[in-house]
Amino acid sequence: MKEQILTQLDYPEQLEKLYRSNKTNFKKEFNTLYSEIKGNPLADFWNERLNYETDDLNRGSARDLIFILVASLLAGIIAKFPAFFGIDEEFFYPRNIGFILFPMLAAWFAWKRKLSSGKIAVIVISLVVGVVYINALPDLPDSDTLTLACIHLLIFLWAILGFAYVGGKRESDEKRLNFLKYNGDLLVISALIGIA
């Protein structure tokens, strides 16, 4: 990789392709090579690009905070539906536990990714169909069908969240891998918070 960086140093497009092919290796090799090529304007640019660290923590905008507060409030209201409307908790929670979290996260990613109205409609229609289907099933507590439907509904909601996360671009392998990484990070942080 070092030789490729050196030979492509005067060709920004080739360096970008090299970087995108293997970001981690490129950064490592470039940092070891930088002391030799320091002073070259393109090398200085790449050094700043790869090693820039901001001093202040990015807390997001006021609109982000408002969106998070409203989404949290909606999730809390959905979680308290049994108390508000006198619904049996054993009926409500196994069927609707996924609708407390997944729609709010999907809305967040749809908003941040600026999805088109068509893709937002696909997400909303999928969520509505899921709510209607799972709550229309008969209340048979010993039914294996109901148990399987509840399990598969969570997988379906997770897939909808993935669609919102990648912005509906199925061919983007990098975004799909980032979604899996996001899920791993979310599970680890949730477990740590739960343990605490």
Side-chain angles (χ1 to χ4, degrees), residues 1 8 11 19 35 49 87 98 116 123 140 148 158-159 170 176 189 196:
M1 175 77 73
Q8 304 300 334
Y11 305 101
Y19 170 70
S35 60
R49 177 180 177 188
I87 302 170
S116 67
I123 292 170
L140 303 171
L148 286 171
W158 182 67
R170 293 176 298 179
R176 290 190 313 205
I189 290 171

Side-chain angles (χ1 to χ4, degrees), residues 1-10 15 18 26-48 50-51:
M1 175 77 73
K2 281 183 185 179
E3 295 81 23
Q4 290 176 314
I5 293 172
L6 282 172
T7 57
Q8 304 300 334
L9 194 56
D10 294 327
L15 275 180
L18 199 58
F26 182 92
K27 183 176 180 180
K28 185 181 89 172
E29 295 296 335
F30 183 86
N31 285 335
T32 58
L33 184 65
Y34 180 65
S35 60
E36 299 172 24
I37 56 175
K38 193 183 239 182
N40 181 319
L42 194 56
D44 292 339
F45 165 78
W46 274 96
N47 182 53
E48 288 300 319
L50 295 173
N51 300 307

